[in-house]
């Protein structure tokens, strides 16, 4: 198969995987925040009653979780495309 076909095959899967990664990362973040902070809701950056440290910690944790989930989903998608097409997507 040509390189272009593997790239075309990966594109729609990558878009769907991105949405799935966002949903998974959000669910994981809510659970991790609940376990670590003992609070059901993560702070919003504009929450007047929360301290800077708590807001920045929540943002850093959320970003790290999103990045790890997104990388795992992207990698899995690329492996799937290679299995289907025999080529690694660019």
């Amino acid at each position: 198969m040509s390189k272009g076909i593997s790239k075309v095959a990966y594109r729609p899967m990558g878009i769907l995987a991105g949405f799935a990664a966002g949903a998974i990362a959000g669910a994981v973040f809510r659970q991790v925040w609940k376990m670590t902070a003992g609070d059901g809701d993560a702070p919003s950056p504009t929450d007047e009653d929360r301290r800077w440290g708590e807001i920045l910690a929540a943002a850093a944790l959320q970003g790290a979780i999103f990045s790890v989930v997104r990388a795992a989903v992207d990698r899995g998608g690329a492996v799937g495309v290679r299995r289907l097409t025999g080529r690694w997507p660019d």
Side-chain angles (χ1 to χ4, degrees):
M1 250 183 211
S2 75
K3 194 175 202 177
I5 292 174
S6 66
K7 194 176 200 177
V8 169
Y10 182 70
R11 189 163 307 187
M13 190 165 62
I15 291 169
L16 292 174
F19 287 122
I24 292 166
V28 169
F29 170 69
R30 285 188 293 279
Q31 290 301 315
V32 170
W33 184 261
K34 193 183 302 183
M35 289 186 322
T36 58
D39 188 5
D41 295 325
S44 166
T46 58
D47 190 343
E48 186 177 21
D49 299 326
R50 304 287 185 115
R51 296 181 320 274
W52 273 91
E54 186 179 13
I55 289 170
L56 296 179
L61 179 63
Q62 186 175 29
I65 289 171
F66 181 80
S67 293
V68 168
V69 170
R70 178 64 193 221
V73 169
D74 283 348
R75 182 66 178 197
V79 168
V81 166
R82 183 179 61 197
R83 286 182 184 154
L84 289 172
T85 66
R87 297 211 122 167
W88 192 262
D90 289 333

